[in-house]
Structure formats: C-alpha cells, structure tokens
Amino acid sequence: MNLNEIYPTCRALLDSGEWRRASAALAKETGPEGVAGIPELPEFLPDLARLEWTMHRVATEAAPFGEVVALEANPTLEALHLSWKLCATVASRGKVPPERGEEWALVWRDPVTGETSLSAATGDDLLAIKVVVEDIPYAQAAVAGRIPTAAVDMAVRRAAARGLLLAPPSRIRRDTALLPQGKRTPEEFVAARSFVLQWHITHACDLHCRHCYDRSNRAAVTVEQARRVLDQLGDFCARRGVAGHVCLTGGNPLLHPGFLDIYRESAQRGFTLSILGNAAPRERVEPLCGILRPDMYQVSLEGLREHNDHIRGAGYFDRVMLFLDVLRELGIPSAVMLTLTRDNLDQVLPLAELLRGKTDFFTYNRLSPVGEGAALQLPSREEYAGFVQQYVEAAQKNPIMGYKDNLIGIELRRRGLEPFGGCCGFGCGAGFNFLALLPDGEAHACRKFPSPIGNVLTQGIAAVYDGEEAARYRAGAAACAACDLRAVCGGCLAITRGHGLDPFRDRDPHCSLVGTA
C-alpha cells in the first residue's frame, strides 16, 4: 500500500517527522482513524486523512453501476461531515491551507468517465440528495424549505447533471422498428429529453384571423383543473425521465382570467414556460418576469404590413413591431411565426430582413388547410421546393431565420449541410414528445388538424399518451417508413390530411422525394 499515493495532501502538509509518525498510524488496520490520538500532529489531520482515504476507496473499489430505472443517488457517493474546510485544500494538493469550519464533502465516481470527483456540498446538493434518497415529494420539500417547487426541481436536475444523482434514460423513445433499417439513427433523434404540453387554456381571442383552424366554443380551463393537469404532467415527466415544458396558448392565453395563476402554478412545479399568443400591453407581460422569465414569447405575422393586416386585422403589424421592442426591453426572448400560403410566398424573405435585429427567431409553418384556413391556397409542390431553396440560402446570412418545417431537411441534405431535428426535434412530434391540450381537456396529437387522442381531464396524461390513437400518430405515414430522413422528417400530417389524403398512409404532398423513393 503506497501511502504517498493514498494521502498526497497529508504528505504535502506535514514535515518529514510528522509524516513518519502519521504514516506509521495510517499503515495500521485502523487506517485514517489511527491518526486521531497522536499528539503533536495538526488538528485537521484526522479529517484530511479520512477524506483522502474515502477518495482512494471510491476510486479503486468496483463501481456498482447498473441499469437506472428511477432517479437515484449515485451508488459510489460518499458524504463526509468535516470540522475543517478541506475540499479546496485537497483540490490544490495543499496549496490552499485548511480552514477551521464545518463542511460537507462529497466524493463520487462518474458513471460514464469513471473519474473520481470531490466537491464541497452546497445547500442545493444536500437538498437534492435528501429528496431523492428519502423519496420526498418536491412539493413537500418546497413547503418545508419555504422555497418554490421549481427550486427543488432545479436542484435535483443540477445534481443529476453533475453525477451526484443518476437519472434513468428517457422513456420517450422512438420505436426503432419504425425507422429505416440497416442505418444507425443518432440517439439525439431517438430519445427525447423533454416533453411539451401545448396548452390552449382558452379559445377567447382578440383577433379573427382568416386562417384560424378552430373557432369552436369551449369553456376555458379552470385554475383548479389546471392544477390537476400540472400535477399529472409532473408525474408523467418524472416517470418517463424527461423535463417538462408548458407552452401556454389559446386563443390568446393572456385573456384567460386566471392566466397569471396558471403561469405561476406551472413555474412552481419546475416546468420551463413559453407563450404562444398575441401582442399585448407591457403591463400584462411584465409580471411574468417576477415569476419565471419565459423561454420564449411567440407572436405571428403573415407577411408585410398590408398582407398581414388583411389576414390578422388592421393595425396588427405595427402592434407586433412595437411589442417586439417591449419584449426585448424586458429581456424576454421573442419569436415570430409565419403561416405560409401561396399569397405570401414572396413576402417571407423581405419580412425576415425587416425583422433582423427585432426578434430572436423567425420561421414559418405551412398553412394547415382546415377550419377557416381551408379557404386559402397553398403553393404547388414545385413552388414550395423553389421557395425552400431560397429560404435556406437566405438563412445562411440572416441569423434570426430558423428551420421548423420538416421538408427543409431535404434541401439541407442536397446542400451537404447537417440535418436539423425537424418540427419538434424528432421530425413530426405528433403524439411523441408533444401533446396539444384544449381548454376542455381534449388532447390532440397535433393542433394543426383534428387529431383527437383522448381527454386528459377524464383519463389522465399517461393514459392518453399510451393509448392506441396516440401510437398511430407516432407511427406517422407508412409511405415514409423507408426514407432515410424519417427520423428527422415524416412530412406534415396536417398538410397530408388537409389535401384529402390519409396521414397514416400517404406521404406529404409537398415532399419533393415523392416518386423517387
């Protein structure tokens, strides 16, 4: 046993005589405990020896890592309560002198790299470990600690990211039998790390857009119902090993009388948040920053001023442009979405230039020809393919232009560029890492077209997600099964359905690969 290797900091801090006495004790079976009663040795030595011995043991013993099926503490994790602050001393090999004062030292082995780590525990570290080891509900820990539930959730996530806790692999995974066989699909396009609930909490709206896909009269979700849904979402995400994201929309979600309550309840449960709504007065948006700054606030424009106001109402273009300035002042990231039709095809790139420096992200979706949108026209396949070429070319020079439509992947491949994840990061995310929820609890695989898969208020999120209808939408179009872009594409089921085709069988009619596969 090489004591110099096991106790390098002890050796560095002791003179030769002290080390001779200490090493004689350390070599005995009592190990680090043996130095406690030796006179004329530094007071910090017993704690330091215990810490370095623990690091040696964690580094050399066989690591009992196995399959992780639920969030758990790293099985190699050791927590030592010390009377001296020694973590910085050990990390510097004695260059930082020991300091008297209590400290919890954490020692653990990384399950991936095998490296041993040492860290002085923070309050968040200890909270996360306690919550997981004792299986304490986040909400209960939050009440006991007088902190938001989100703070507990973030503490656990950070501890898992550092390896103090081990999280199970995501259980939201593509069925690989539905992906092209004989070709490896990167894990990033197979397993989702987050789950999005696009929640239409109200159908009340201050606009009357010409392409609205649903003007059905449904009562807004109540705040109490919202709490139950959020509790379900938290349980669903925890059991599936994913983070939860709530996208509040409508109608105009800010018109919901309990909007701030629902927003606050979502934040307190640790979900990240975004808003998909209309331009609003500053005083309606500013309170959000005091709760949890949204990841994104998305508004829509349908082209330049004249065309946009024809679709969305007089004066709305200017309202949005002013609102984007408000969002920037508040530090809220913004996005602008355009619904692509034959009529605004030539306005997309000029609008993107106009928005350069005004918003953080700009992209488009093709019109879903359902509801009132059925009266508008989409471009032909050839027109759309030509537009995509122009869009990708312009996006190389305009940093706000992003990709969303799955079929853009065809043009990226043609140019030899890296693929992007498609509409939801996994091609079509309908019923996969995404659910649309209407005010009355009716769930849809995708909000762009009627795709009902159950009711969350009566069945629960898990039962809806695991149902046969949701599985059908996850499978996508049979015609796309052999395509080597399937993992990041799958076309748009809403466009297919809007053209009178079968979304479970037929390929997206705008796909330029039709007839070539």
Side-chain angles (χ1 to χ4, degrees), residues 213 368 370-371 442 444-452 473 494 497 503:
Y213 44 73
S368 178
V370 298
E442 186 174 285
H444 288 247
C446 172
R447 190 63 188 107
K448 291 176 62 180
F449 74 114
S451 49
Y473 286 101
R497 172 71 174 273

Side-chain angles (χ1 to χ4, degrees), residues 126-177:
L126 298 176
L127 170 64
I129 294 167
K130 181 179 179 67
V131 163
V132 170
V133 170
E134 299 182 16
D135 195 23
I136 302 172
Y138 290 6
Q140 180 180 324
V143 170
R146 297 182 180 180
I147 57 175
T149 306
V152 180
D153 180 73
M154 288 305 299
V156 170
R157 289 190 197 181
R158 284 192 291 265
R162 294 173 59 206
L164 298 172
L165 304 176
L166 302 184
S170 170
R171 294 184 60 205
I172 295 183
R173 301 178 61 86
R174 284 291 191 197
D175 182 351
T176 53

Side-chain angles (χ1 to χ4, degrees), residues 297-315:
Y297 193 122
Q298 180 180 300
V299 293
S300 295
L301 287 174
E302 309 310 337
L304 301 176
R305 181 180 286 104
E306 182 179 355
H307 180 76
N308 176 82
D309 289 0
H310 170 69
I311 297 294
R312 289 193 169 265

Side-chain angles (χ1 to χ4, degrees), residues 258-296:
F259 172 76
L260 278 181
D261 292 325
I262 295 174
Y263 190 91
R264 185 179 294 105
E265 293 282 349
S266 301
Q268 288 176 346
R269 286 164 173 78
F271 302 123
T272 52
L273 282 148
S274 60
I275 298 171
L276 201 166
N278 301 339
R282 182 189 183 104
E283 57 268 22
R284 297 296 303 275
V285 179
E286 193 167 12
L288 304 180
C289 299
I291 301 172
L292 177 69
R293 196 177 307 276
D295 280 3
M296 186 74 72

Side-chain angles (χ1 to χ4, degrees), residues 432-477:
F432 176 58
N433 63 327
F434 169 96
L435 284 185
L437 183 61
L438 304 193
D440 59 0
E442 186 174 285
H444 288 247
C446 172
R447 190 63 188 107
K448 291 176 62 180
F449 74 114
S451 49
I453 55 177
N455 191 294
V456 166
L457 294 181
T458 58
Q459 298 172 258
I461 291 176
V464 169
Y465 184 88
D466 293 332
E468 292 183 6
E469 283 302 305
R472 290 183 74 204
Y473 286 101
R474 282 195 287 277

